[in-house]
Amino acid sequence: MKTRSQLEKLSLIFVLLLAFASCKTTKIVTTEKVRPISANRLIKKIEENAFDYDMLAIKRIACHYESPDEKTSFRANLKSEKDKQILLTLSKINVPLARLYLTPDSVKMVNYLNKSYLKEDYQYLSKFVNTNLDFEMVQAVISNEAFSYRDDERDNEFKEFVSYVDSGMYVLQSFKNRKLYKIMQKGKEEKIDRYLKKLDEDAFIVQHIYADPKTFKIRKIILDDQTNNRKVTVNFSDFTQVGRQLYPGNIDISFTSLEKDLSMKIKLSKFSTEKDQSFNFNIPGKYDRMQ
């Protein structure tokens, strides 16, 4: 994290990947059989049990990032005012490294190590991770809320999802292409491969959302890019009481591809929902704009 590119990458990926990663899943022990329910009902139950807040602060976030080339640890804290702003601060040994500030229409970041700053819109983040992203999606991640990774019509974002039971959990799964869905139902792998090759440059990504059958909290999210052989998996575990609601204390993230594997382990503690929170974000006058 000594170079500018590393720090910029970690600062942006930290918020964006809170919803996309993998870890050891805590098994659900239950004597009751989990009965299938419709996708619409499952979506409604997840939304009803999403973490609701006006103001949320996570004062202590310990992160460990690992790739084939490096390992590094750092700390962070996050503040979020619902529907308005999100502020993330990264530090190491109590020395500020960077600040990332998100609003519904802008992305700003200050890199204190290289005395530089970033001012962009969400097209920048979308290009960065090759997926349509916006403030609502990032906020959904923070709220442990279900989201569709790339639908432009929010009112119909789950229209292509199906539901089923797997390993004691409810699963929402996207099928953005009806023809491919029918082929997959028949289990004809050769036809699946041929059809995927005919798809345009827009990658075919299957999204899985796993929900606890008792609390309806999201336990895992998988984005499977079947066109480019890439997968991002996120596991949420160690749910803790914050007020009268539950919030994940651990988020483990993994990214796998033919080129490399990346992982980030995140431990969260010291939560607050007090309304009196400050969102100080300033760009020093002498800093250079990132290119």
Side-chain angles (χ1 to χ4, degrees):
M1 204 158 54
K2 293 180 181 179
T3 68
R4 180 168 73 183
S5 61
Q6 289 173 314
L7 182 57
E8 291 169 9
K9 184 175 182 179
L10 287 175
S11 301
L12 295 172
I13 282 181
F14 181 84
V15 168
L16 303 178
L17 290 192
L18 281 178
F20 317 130
S22 126
C23 80
K24 296 178 181 177
T25 306
T26 303
K27 292 183 179 179
I28 300 172
V29 180
T30 177
T31 57
E32 299 178 8
K33 184 178 180 180
V34 181
R35 297 180 179 179
I37 60 177
S38 68
N40 287 338
R41 186 183 174 196
L42 179 54
I43 292 164
K44 183 178 180 180
K45 295 293 287 185
I46 292 174
E47 290 176 345
E48 288 174 350
N49 289 277
F51 191 84
D52 189 26
Y53 67 95
D54 292 321
M55 198 83 71
L56 173 65
I58 307 175
K59 299 179 181 179
R60 179 174 293 178
I61 305 174
C63 310
H64 179 76
Y65 171 81
E66 186 172 336
S67 72
D69 305 320
E70 68 168 324
K71 295 181 181 179
T72 186
S73 297
F74 57 96
R75 291 192 176 274
N77 64 69
L78 184 143
K79 296 178 182 179
S80 177
E81 184 178 9
K82 192 171 183 179
D83 300 328
K84 294 183 179 179
Q85 54 187 340
I86 297 169
L87 178 64
L88 171 72
T89 302
L90 302 183
S91 62
K92 192 164 187 175
I93 318 177
N94 295 323
V95 176
L97 300 177
R99 277 193 165 190
L100 180 65
Y101 182 65
L102 307 178
T103 64
D105 57 5
S106 67
V107 176
K108 299 177 183 179
M109 189 178 76
V110 171
N111 183 332
Y112 296 110
L113 288 182
N114 293 295
K115 296 184 178 181
S116 58
Y117 71 92
L118 173 77
K119 289 179 71 174
E120 298 286 348
D121 57 22
Y122 283 88
Q123 288 184 351
Y124 176 86
L125 293 186
S126 296
K127 291 178 181 178
F128 186 79
V129 294
N130 196 30
T131 297
N132 288 338
L133 289 168
D134 58 20
F135 184 84
E136 289 183 24
M137 184 180 291
V138 177
Q139 184 169 264
V141 172
I142 294 172
S143 301
N144 194 236
E145 185 178 350
F147 66 92
S148 177
Y149 74 99
R150 54 166 309 147
D151 213 317
D152 295 329
E153 298 181 12
R154 288 291 178 185
D155 292 338
N156 297 311
E157 61 180 332
F158 294 108
K159 64 182 178 181
E160 301 289 346
F161 278 68
V162 295
S163 65
Y164 56 91
V165 175
D166 181 34
S167 303
M169 284 190 279
Y170 287 120
V171 183
L172 276 174
Q173 180 172 327
S174 66
F175 280 103
K176 310 297 272 188
N177 185 298
R178 288 292 185 183
K179 184 174 181 179
L180 182 59
Y181 180 32
K182 292 179 180 179
I183 296 174
M184 292 180 74
Q185 282 185 313
K186 296 178 181 179
K188 296 182 178 180
E189 295 184 3
E190 292 183 2
K191 285 190 175 182
I192 293 173
D193 292 337
R194 286 200 301 267
Y195 188 74
L196 285 175
K197 290 178 181 179
K198 292 180 181 179
L199 292 176
D200 59 22
E201 61 183 12
D202 189 19
F204 179 77
I205 300 176
V206 179
Q207 180 178 357
H208 302 77
I209 301 173
Y210 289 74
D212 189 298
K214 290 187 175 180
T215 64
F216 290 95
K217 289 293 186 180
I218 295 176
R219 299 290 299 273
K220 181 165 65 174
I221 298 174
I222 299 174
L223 295 180
D224 187 0
D225 183 347
Q226 299 186 354
T227 306
N228 298 302
N229 293 314
R230 300 179 300 185
K231 181 183 289 187
V232 182
T233 313
V234 188
N235 242 316
F236 304 90
S237 62
D238 193 24
F239 281 77
T240 186
Q241 200 81 24
V242 179
R244 296 183 178 181
Q245 303 181 77
L246 294 174
Y247 199 89
N250 286 310
I251 303 174
D252 290 353
I253 302 169
S254 70
F255 171 83
T256 59
S257 69
L258 297 176
E259 293 80 21
K260 63 171 62 177
D261 295 343
L262 309 173
S263 68
M264 184 180 289
K265 294 183 179 295
I266 305 170
K267 186 173 182 61
L268 306 96
S269 59
K270 287 198 171 183
F271 302 93
S272 174
T273 54
E274 295 179 2
K275 294 185 177 181
D276 187 19
Q277 302 282 349
S278 60
F279 287 77
N280 296 324
F281 183 86
N282 297 307
I283 299 175
K286 295 183 179 180
Y287 277 30
D288 296 324
R289 186 162 186 165
M290 298 176 190
Q291 300 299 320

